[in-house]
Amino acid sequence: ILGLTASILNGKCDPEELEEKIQKLEKILKSNAETATDLVVLDRYTSQPCEIVVDCGPFTDRSGLYERLLMELEEALNFINDCNISVHSKERDSTLISKQILSDCRAVLVVLGPWCADKVAGMMVRELQKHIKHEQEELHRKFLLFTDTFLRKIHALCEEHFSPASLDLKFVTPKVIKLLEILRKYKPYERQQFESVEWYNNRNQDNYVSWSDSEDDEEDEEIEEKEKPETNFPSPFTNILCGIIFVERRYTAVVLNRLIKEAGKQDPE
């Protein structure tokens, strides 16, 4: 028996084609396809999550930086799209990397705000340096250099309004503020709050999750062995929150991780 939680068919399928496609699959796999027909009965066995929708409201930036950055990014993207370059089917598109980078930077600005856009511009400049160093084609290099210069301009504009060294919450979107508020509610417990072994043993296991920043795990392992206290209390990192933040782009995840770490340094809660 092969049990699938995902759709049995890969891709979209019109209802009238469904039966034929399942029969074809049964023939190929020499098997029978079975499914639940009574969805009301099935409902009793599925989990019923409590869903909460949080309205974050629009982002209003009184300094005008957000609008300025958005305008600059859109103008740069329009410029690249307007460039009339003949591309043969076998050749690489000279503008591809530039379009991707500027589009990612714009997405980070819209979703997370100017502080994160500045951070992502810095990451992208480092990424671009590698491409520029190894690029042989003159036209490709020109577009990469154009994008590099443009990202430095974004950084310069941000520096006029805030210090990149510390997180300024005036320059992040309401969505980020709400996320930080949710995380603040689930701050890790302090060790001194654990009063007895009995308390530890009676806690509800389902509510607890241990997490750690895996980068330093290996180095600390040996030290931890020696320092382990006799009573096995939870670590200060024991937490009652286990969550996944879904984002649409890789850079959004990278820069959001950096933002949360920075927020943690500034606010112990």
Side-chain angles (χ1 to χ4, degrees):
I1 296 173
L2 169 67
L4 298 174
T5 56
S7 166
I8 194 166
L9 301 170
N10 184 22
K12 289 179 183 174
C13 168
D14 292 326
E16 59 268 21
E17 296 171 7
L18 185 61
E19 193 175 349
E20 186 195 330
K21 288 199 173 185
I22 289 175
Q23 283 170 354
K24 191 178 170 188
L25 201 61
E26 287 179 322
K27 197 174 166 188
I28 293 166
L29 298 175
K30 295 184 172 62
S31 62
N32 295 325
E34 297 288 345
T35 186
T37 50
D38 190 343
L39 298 177
V40 178
V41 173
L42 196 67
D43 244 14
R44 276 189 261 157
Y45 302 98
T46 59
S47 60
Q48 300 293 329
C50 166
E51 291 185 20
I52 299 168
V53 177
V54 181
D55 181 10
C56 303
F59 178 44
T60 50
D61 175 13
R62 290 187 181 88
S63 71
L65 177 63
Y66 174 82
E67 283 78 12
R68 174 76 194 274
L69 295 179
L70 193 59
M71 183 193 76
E72 293 279 354
L73 279 158
E74 283 176 352
E75 280 182 7
L77 277 163
N78 289 339
F79 168 74
I80 290 174
N81 288 325
D82 280 349
C83 290
N84 194 4
I85 305 154
S86 58
V87 179
H88 300 295
S89 56
K90 289 176 187 173
E91 284 180 12
R92 288 179 298 146
D93 179 359
S94 306
T95 63
L96 192 65
I97 293 171
S98 297
K99 280 179 190 169
Q100 187 62 56
I101 282 179
L102 295 175
S103 156
D104 278 340
C105 194
R106 185 189 181 282
V108 167
L109 173 67
V110 171
V111 177
L112 304 177
W115 191 87
C116 291
D118 177 54
K119 283 281 168 284
V120 91
M123 292 177 201
M124 287 166 168
V125 164
R126 287 190 288 279
E127 196 77 22
L128 271 170
Q129 291 303 312
K130 295 175 199 167
H131 286 293
I132 292 164
K133 194 176 172 184
H134 298 111
E135 186 52 70
Q136 304 296 320
E137 287 282 333
E138 187 57 32
L139 189 59
H140 289 24
R141 270 180 68 84
K142 279 180 179 170
F143 276 108
L144 293 174
L145 288 165
F146 163 78
T147 311
D148 179 78
T149 305
F150 180 79
L151 292 173
R152 290 170 193 274
K153 181 181 179 181
I154 292 286
H155 175 63
L157 288 169
C158 289
E159 267 193 324
E160 289 174 13
H161 290 83
F162 57 82
S163 161
S166 60
L167 174 59
D168 189 336
L169 293 178
K170 290 199 296 290
F171 295 99
V172 298
T173 56
K175 215 176 200 178
V176 175
I177 303 283
K178 285 280 188 204
L179 173 64
L180 294 178
E181 282 170 14
I182 291 165
L183 294 177
R184 194 179 280 112
K185 286 178 192 167
Y186 291 99
K187 72 162 187 165
Y189 286 128
E190 296 297 331
R191 191 179 287 273
Q192 53 264 36
Q193 281 180 264
F194 306 124
E195 286 165 349
S196 65
V197 180
E198 190 185 357
W199 179 89
Y200 175 73
N201 290 338
N202 291 341
R203 81 202 193 292
N204 179 356
Q205 288 279 6
D206 298 340
N207 288 344
Y208 283 80
V209 153
S210 243
W211 64 271
S212 75
D213 205 347
S214 54
E215 292 167 22
D216 310 321
D217 276 3
E218 288 173 23
E219 296 167 24
D220 297 343
E221 255 171 39
E222 289 173 33
I223 307 162
E224 280 173 16
E225 287 301 317
K226 295 169 196 167
E227 290 177 1
K228 268 186 188 164
E230 292 195 11
T231 314
N232 192 17
F233 285 128
S235 84
F237 296 116
T238 303
N239 202 335
I240 54 169
L241 173 71
C242 178
I244 301 172
I245 300 170
F246 290 96
V247 294
E248 286 182 9
R249 297 181 186 231
R250 187 170 62 98
Y251 269 114
T252 313
V254 174
V255 81
L256 189 57
N257 174 45
R258 190 172 284 194
L259 181 141
I260 293 169
K261 281 183 177 174
E262 194 60 46
K265 280 183 208 166
Q266 287 187 26
D267 180 1
E269 297 291 303

